[in-house]
Amino acid sequence: GGSAGSGLTVWRGALLPVIDLRLALGLAADGLDDRAWIVVLDDGRRLRGLLAGALRDTREIRAATLAPPRDDLAANRRFVRGITTDAVVVLDAAALLNTD
């Protein structure tokens, strides 16, 4: 386990490390229900699952439009790439893949 709040699940016949984003971002972690999602990140070398309570939509966000994360945004700011003008927190997938 790591400081990001982690666990394991079986995915495609192999163990997949899973990060609980609520813990990674310093948020309260209530119980899970059967509607939770796991988003799988793969950079060709590592696989990680990200526990997500819900998935709403996807959109393209240009890195140049991001503002730096606020100091009080999260306990583990290393996982936050920036914040959009409409207050969407953009996570750093490379940082999430490199948690141990």
Side-chain angles (χ1 to χ4, degrees), residues 67-75 77 80 82-83 87 89:
R70 299 184 318 258
D71 288 337
D72 64 342
L73 183 65
R77 290 185 59 210
V80 178
I83 188 166
V89 175

Side-chain angles (χ1 to χ4, degrees), residues 1-19:
S3 62
S6 56
L8 291 172
T9 192
V10 176
W11 184 67
R12 296 186 177 176
L15 288 178
L16 176 69
V18 177
I19 300 167

Side-chain angles (χ1 to χ4, degrees), residues 6-84:
S6 56
L8 291 172
T9 192
V10 176
W11 184 67
R12 296 186 177 176
L15 288 178
L16 176 69
V18 177
I19 300 167
D20 187 335
L21 288 176
R22 299 168 301 178
L23 297 174
L25 296 173
L27 303 172
D30 298 333
L32 294 176
D33 62 29
D34 60 353
R35 294 181 303 237
W37 290 76
I38 296 177
V39 177
V40 178
L41 299 178
D42 178 3
D43 68 356
R45 294 175 294 134
R46 293 186 118 158
L47 287 173
R48 287 273 193 265
L50 304 179
L51 186 62
L55 298 176
R56 292 195 182 105
D57 60 8
T58 60
R59 65 181 179 176
E60 183 176 326
I61 299 172
R62 297 186 187 278
T65 65
L66 295 176
R70 299 184 318 258
D71 288 337
D72 64 342
L73 183 65
N76 289 310
R77 290 185 59 210
R78 70 179 184 267
F79 300 124
V80 178
R81 178 109 186 243
I83 188 166
T84 66

